[in-house]
């Protein structure tokens, strides 16, 4: 839907790769390659380099687009170097991070995208420690610091916004990055039927603002734009924490100060983003 | 045929220039650096129309090659030492996807302690990854192997990646007189590249690198085994074709005065050249000695080695790498190759030259003399202060 051009897809190791390509079957009707966990960006830009070379030599005549998918583990953590390098080199490809805020493929371990206070199997909430101690790194902003032509945050609950962003990303003429919140029923501990509602809640509480960065310009989009304009209510972070089992322990009086800290951090980041988008 | 002075790295870059690959991925590491530097000049001067990509790491350089080769491009890269170690995971993936990538490896010791000089511990660490491994004695052979490697890798019976090794600094940085082929001769020899099931053929989509459960993985590994089983024949055939084109013939093994020798020393890389000089000098002294150059280490030419060494009085295998807790990596394979021979020679191992320790002709002579006097231990360390 986001492009009319043929697309070739690269995939990091993760749920998407494992669940769609169990040999001898494949769910992909487009050319697709997975090589390893940490190098989806390097692998797809190899494909794109071959395309550039063969187009220059006149062997390939059609215009082709390139996309790579990785989870937050394969993007924020182990795959960060190869993504950063590929963007710096200016290859034309769209990198999509399906961000479910932990290593879900291997059984819910913390990643650099896991929120403070979340309980995972490697940062479990216990008597002394209330889940993950650190805030996630703001990867979208780190990617934007590369001054690439296009980057965005999106959510599956606003599919129109997501597809608009993907369309721009494909046609921008250089590297593009889309960070998509991807609620994981198993890892986040909620009923699968709530998936889209949870994604919406992420945006409505401003823990996952929708915005885009296009050649130096920052713009809020969708519900985030409406919240900033006062047309929609900004929900408290407790609504978000209550919706998922991974934060359940934070709702006791003992960890109330953690909830307050998270709210303060979400507010601080939201105001910072509003300023960037207002400039 | 033009004769020029070049070092081994420049010779490889020049061979690549003549081949004009579609994609070259590069990350600098000593003593390979000259290859990608020289090639980048060809790109800058428009002498090739290669897509030259300076990756941010060796790991990404090989990942890029995998993407490019799967896409349908003729692809090569170069590395050494820690760089090859950093590519380790991707070596297996390149081979399992049957991608005919060519990679020059300027053999260099692995850390630690850090050392930039020659030994073969990098290549030997990659021996089980499914790549063909060829060793070059000098810059001329590095040039010739670089051309042959494309034809071998792309051969329809194989479709396997090929590593062309040359000794760091000894060969990479020493100037030699080389005989170069004309561009058109090289282009004609390697031929036009015909990719198989390329990703860029989007009308016929293919899936590379799927999740391979236990009910198929073993069969896929066996297919790699079978392809490797065809490789020696292909290498021999390509080497013979190359001899017709260039007048230079390289066999899988290069025996030097082995036929009538009592004592033979075997080595891979530049030391095989030094051994020839040592053999000449000892022959002049009346000793019946020979040397055996191992040009192809993977696949391992076990039967051919057994035939050449059967009936000798004693043989020393030189290893420029060590497998801690065992022996040198080549030695046990040679020993195993001779297990079924009726007339087994005494076989001993010499570990030498680690971290660029020079090996002199006198030291190599001492190996032959120890063989002749039956004084060598099973495993020996040549030139180390113990």
């Amino acid at each position: 839907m986001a492009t009319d051009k043929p697309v070739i897809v690269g995939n990091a190791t993760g749920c998407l790769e494992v669940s769609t390509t169990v040999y001898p079957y494949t769910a992909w009707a487009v050319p697709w390659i997975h090589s390893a966990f940490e190098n989806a960006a390097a692998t797809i830009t190899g494909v794109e380099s071959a395309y550039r070379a063969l187009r220059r030599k006149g062997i390939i005549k059609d215009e082709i687009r390139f996309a790579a998918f990785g989870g937050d583990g394969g993007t924020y953590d182990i795959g960060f170097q190869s993504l950063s390098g590929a963007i710096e080199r200016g290859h034309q490809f769209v990198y999509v991070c399906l961000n479910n805020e932990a290593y879900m493929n291997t059984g819910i371990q913390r990643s650099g995208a896991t929120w403070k206070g979340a309980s995972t199997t490697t940062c479990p909430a216990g008597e002394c420690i209330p889940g993950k101690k650190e805030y996630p790194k703001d990867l979208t902003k780190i990617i934007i610091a590369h001054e690439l032509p296009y980057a965005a945050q999106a959510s599956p609950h606003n599919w129109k916004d997501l597809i608009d962003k993907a369309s721009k990303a494909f046609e921008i003429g250089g590297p593009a990055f889309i960070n998509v919140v991807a609620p994981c029923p198993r890892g986040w501990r909620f009923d699968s039927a709530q998936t889209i509602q949870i994604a919406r809640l992420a945006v409505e509480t401003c823990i996952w603002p929708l915005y885009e960065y296009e050649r130096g310009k920052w713009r809020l989009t969708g519900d985030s734009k409406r919240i900033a304009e006062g047309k929609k209510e900004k929900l408290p972070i407790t609504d978000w924490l209550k919706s998922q089992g991974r934060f359940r322990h934070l709702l006791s009086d003992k960890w109330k100060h953690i909830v307050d800290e998270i709210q303060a951090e979400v507010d601080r980041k939201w105001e910072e983003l509003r300023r960037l988008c207002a400039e | 045929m033009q004769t020029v002075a070049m070092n081994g790295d420049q010779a490889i870059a020049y061979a690549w220039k003549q081949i004009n690959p579609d994609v070259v991925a590069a990350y600098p590491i000593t003593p390979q650096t000259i290859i990608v530097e020289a090639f980048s000049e060809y790109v800058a001067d428009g002498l090739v129309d290669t897509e030259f990509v300076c990756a941010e790491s060796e790991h990404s350089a090989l990942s890029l090659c995998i993407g490019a080769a799967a896409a349908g491009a003729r692809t090569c890269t170069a590395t050494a030492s820690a760089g090859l170690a950093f590519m380790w995971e991707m070596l297996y993936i390149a081979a399992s996807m049957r991608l005919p990538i060519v990679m020059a490896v300027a053999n260099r010791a692995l850390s630690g302690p850090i050392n930039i000089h020659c030994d073969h511990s990098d290549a030997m660490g990659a021996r089980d990854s499914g790549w063909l491994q060829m060793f070059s004695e000098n810059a001329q052979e590095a040039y010739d192997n670089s051309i042959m490697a494309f034809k071998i890798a792309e051969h329809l019976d194989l479709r396997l990646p090929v590593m062309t090794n040359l000794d760091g600094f000894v060969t990479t940085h020493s100037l030699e007189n080389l005989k170069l082929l004309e561009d058109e001769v090289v282009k004609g020899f390697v031929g036009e590249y015909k990719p198989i099931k390329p990703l860029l053929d989007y009308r016929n989509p293919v899936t590379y690198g799927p999740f391979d459960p236990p009910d198929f993985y073993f069969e896929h590994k066996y297919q790699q085994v079978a392809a490797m089983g065809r490789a020696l024949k292909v290498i021999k055939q390509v080497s013979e074709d190359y001899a017709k084109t260039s007048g230079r013939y390289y066999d899988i093994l290069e025996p030097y005065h082995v036929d009538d020798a009592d004592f033979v020393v075997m080595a891979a890389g530049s030391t095989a050249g030094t051994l020839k000089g040592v053999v000449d000098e000892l022959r002049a002294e009346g000793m019946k000695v020979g040397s055996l150059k191992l040009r192809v280490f993977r696949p391992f030419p076990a039967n051919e080695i057994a035939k050449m060494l059967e009936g000798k009085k004693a043989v020393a295998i030189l290893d420029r790498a060590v497998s801690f807790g065992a022996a040198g990596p080549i030695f046990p394979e040679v020993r195993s190759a001779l297990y079924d021979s009726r007339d087994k020679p005494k076989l001993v191992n010499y570990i030498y030259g680690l971290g660029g320790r020079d090996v002199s002709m006198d030291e190599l002579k001492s190996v032959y003399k120890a063989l002749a006097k039956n004084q060598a231990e099973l495993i020996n360390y040549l030139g180390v202060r113990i």
Side-chain angles (χ1 to χ4, degrees):
Chain A
M1 277 192 278
T3 180
D4 296 330
K5 310 267 183 338
V7 177
I8 299 178
V9 173
N11 212 150
T13 311
C15 304
L16 178 65
E17 165 260 328
V18 168
S19 62
T20 59
T21 66
V22 181
Y23 188 88
Y25 305 104
T26 181
W28 295 87
V30 296
W32 181 94
I33 183 167
H34 155 256
S35 68
F37 190 10
E38 65 285 15
N39 62 355
T43 306
I44 198 67
T45 56
V47 179
E48 191 255 9
S49 300
Y51 164 73
R52 284 203 227 187
L54 297 180
R55 236 170 105 90
R56 190 161 54 236
K57 290 180 182 183
I59 297 167
I60 300 270
K61 301 212 163 53
D62 300 338
E63 261 196 70
I64 300 176
R65 296 288 180 262
F66 302 90
F69 293 93
D72 52 294
T75 308
Y76 281 63
D77 295 343
I78 195 170
F80 178 63
Q81 172 190 303
S82 92
L83 175 59
S84 175
I87 291 172
E88 182 268 330
R89 290 190 301 272
H91 299 274
Q92 186 174 359
F93 75 115
V94 181
Y95 190 99
V96 181
C97 174
L98 299 175
N99 179 8
N100 55 30
E101 300 187 358
Y103 289 84
M104 299 302 185
N105 194 46
T106 46
I108 323 169
Q109 298 91 15
R110 97 191 267 290
S111 80
T114 305
W115 256 86
K116 178 169 175 152
S119 179
T120 76
T121 55
T122 51
C123 59
E127 289 300 313
C128 307
I129 299 173
K132 196 189 175 207
K133 292 177 183 171
E134 308 84 12
Y135 291 104
K137 60 171 113 163
D138 192 338
L139 189 71
T140 312
K141 279 197 188 148
I142 295 169
I143 296 296
I144 291 169
H146 289 68
E147 300 191 353
L148 77 178
Y150 189 81
Q153 284 196 175
S155 160
H157 89 275
N158 192 339
W159 62 268
K160 174 72 167 61
D161 178 68
L162 173 51
I163 287 169
D164 287 347
K165 286 170 178 168
S167 300
K168 276 190 190 175
F170 274 120
E171 297 312 318
I172 202 77
F177 175 79
I178 304 177
N179 205 344
V180 184
V181 65
C184 172
R186 173 83 185 121
W188 293 12
R189 308 289 181 193
F190 64 83
D191 182 349
S192 316
Q194 295 295 309
T195 303
I196 297 302
Q197 183 52 34
I198 298 267
R200 180 193 300 275
L201 208 49
V203 176
E204 288 173 341
T205 55
C206 295
I207 202 165
W208 191 260
L210 300 179
Y211 69 97
E212 65 184 359
Y213 167 93
E214 189 179 349
R215 299 196 187 281
K217 286 278 173 212
W218 300 66
R219 258 192 305 274
L220 289 166
T221 68
D223 294 332
S224 298
K225 185 163 182 275
R226 281 190 284 281
I227 293 169
E229 288 169 349
K231 293 175 183 163
K232 192 176 165 75
E233 191 191 354
K234 176 173 181 266
L235 299 179
I237 203 66
T238 42
D239 286 9
W240 169 252
L241 301 177
K242 278 181 200 163
S243 68
Q244 300 151 54
R246 62 176 173 155
F247 294 119
R248 187 169 296 132
H249 57 284
L250 294 182
L251 304 172
S252 68
D253 289 344
K254 183 178 177 182
W255 302 123
K256 189 179 176 306
H257 65 285
I258 302 288
V259 175
D260 294 343
E261 282 173 27
I262 293 173
Q263 182 68 65
E265 178 65 5
V266 169
D267 293 347
R268 185 189 70 77
K269 297 272 296 182
W270 170 244
E271 289 309 318
E272 185 183 87
L273 183 64
R274 282 184 62 168
R275 274 199 308 279
L276 284 166
C277 293
E279 278 166 11
Chain B
M1 200 175 287
Q2 192 190 355
T3 302
V4 295
M6 275 190 182
N7 65 40
D9 276 353
Q10 289 168 331
I12 289 173
Y14 195 81
W16 290 3
K17 185 200 88 161
Q18 295 182 304
I19 290 161
N20 191 16
D22 300 314
V23 176
V24 170
Y27 189 78
I29 181 167
T30 301
Q32 168 278 118
T33 323
I34 299 168
I35 302 177
V36 294
E37 284 172 346
F39 195 80
S40 71
E41 287 177 20
Y42 297 137
V43 176
D45 291 337
L47 299 176
V48 289
D49 48 1
T50 304
E51 190 68 22
F52 180 71
V53 190
C54 289
E56 84 292 346
S57 73
E58 290 92 347
H59 190 288
S60 283
L62 189 54
S63 302
L64 263 150
C65 289
I66 287 169
R74 184 177 262 162
T75 305
C76 55
T77 188
T79 194
S81 181
L84 183 61
F86 193 24
M87 289 176 174
W88 198 80
E89 176 194 19
M90 303 320 296
L91 292 174
Y92 284 73
I93 291 169
S96 76
M97 288 186 185
R98 306 288 295 276
L99 301 174
I101 298 164
V102 171
M103 177 156 68
V105 177
N107 296 125
R108 166 185 153 187
L110 288 167
S111 291
I114 190 165
N115 173 291
I116 60 166
H117 297 278
C118 174
D119 70 33
H120 295 164
S121 50
D122 50 4
M124 292 297 156
R127 68 178 183 186
D128 298 331
S129 61
W131 286 60
L132 275 71
Q133 291 184 319
M134 303 165 78
F135 283 83
S136 310
E137 179 186 320
N138 49 37
Q140 180 72 63
E141 192 174 352
Y143 169 79
D144 294 330
N145 278 344
S146 297
I147 296 166
M148 280 182 266
F150 285 89
K151 191 127 175 166
I152 294 164
E154 293 164 10
H155 195 284
L156 292 180
D157 287 349
L158 303 191
R159 303 291 298 189
L160 288 170
V162 175
M163 206 179 281
T164 55
N165 293 279
L166 73 167
D167 281 358
F169 292 105
V170 182
T171 311
T172 57
H173 285 60
S174 303
L175 273 181
E176 290 178 34
N177 279 331
L178 300 190
K179 290 191 170 67
L180 301 175
L181 301 179
E182 298 300 324
D183 290 359
E184 292 316 309
V185 173
V186 174
K187 280 189 177 54
F189 180 77
V190 296
E192 203 176 301
Y193 180 50
K194 292 189 184 69
I196 294 173
K197 297 191 184 300
L199 284 168
L200 288 173
D201 179 12
Y202 64 87
R203 288 187 181 87
N204 298 292
V206 285
T207 293
Y208 272 85
F211 177 60
D212 206 13
D215 43 356
F216 289 102
Y217 181 85
F218 202 171
E219 282 69 26
H220 289 143
K221 291 295 113 177
Y222 184 75
Q223 288 175 6
Q224 287 180 249
V225 171
M228 268 286 185
R230 299 187 286 266
L232 287 178
K233 193 177 158 201
V234 171
I235 295 171
K236 224 173 158 68
Q237 188 192 314
V238 171
S239 301
E240 280 165 12
D241 290 348
Y242 190 72
K244 283 178 206 148
T245 305
S246 68
R248 292 186 291 276
Y249 179 62
Y250 303 93
D251 210 334
I252 289 155
L253 295 161
E254 198 174 299
Y256 189 70
H257 293 298
V258 164
D259 276 353
D260 67 335
D262 292 329
F263 308 104
V264 177
V265 178
M266 178 176 172
S270 61
T271 306
T274 318
L275 277 172
K276 288 173 189 163
V278 172
V279 166
D280 288 344
E281 289 190 8
L282 291 178
R283 284 258 165 189
E285 289 174 25
M287 281 182 81
K288 283 172 75 178
V289 295
S291 69
L292 185 58
K293 178 171 105 183
L294 184 67
R295 174 168 169 251
V296 178
F297 175 61
R298 280 291 178 273
F300 193 69
N303 294 335
E304 293 78 359
I305 288 172
K307 267 183 224 152
M308 283 185 192
L309 297 183
E310 210 172 14
K312 303 298 167 200
K313 285 183 182 161
V315 175
I317 289 94
L318 302 190
D319 265 303
R320 202 159 191 163
V322 63
S323 177
F324 302 104
I330 302 174
F331 174 62
E333 301 208 24
V334 176
R335 225 171 167 220
S336 165
L338 281 147
Y339 184 80
D340 294 320
S341 299
R342 275 198 216 121
D343 191 3
K344 287 194 261 284
K346 180 185 168 71
L347 286 168
V348 299
N349 192 194
Y350 277 81
I351 314 282
Y352 80 104
L354 300 189
R357 175 65 49 88
D358 272 342
V359 58
S360 67
M361 291 181 80
D362 280 346
E363 276 174 325
L364 293 173
K365 276 183 197 168
S366 77
V367 173
Y368 283 101
K369 289 187 173 154
L371 290 181
K373 289 180 193 160
N374 198 19
Q375 281 175 340
E377 304 283 330
L378 182 66
I379 299 170
N380 309 272
Y381 296 85
L382 189 64
V384 68
R385 298 182 297 275
I386 296 174

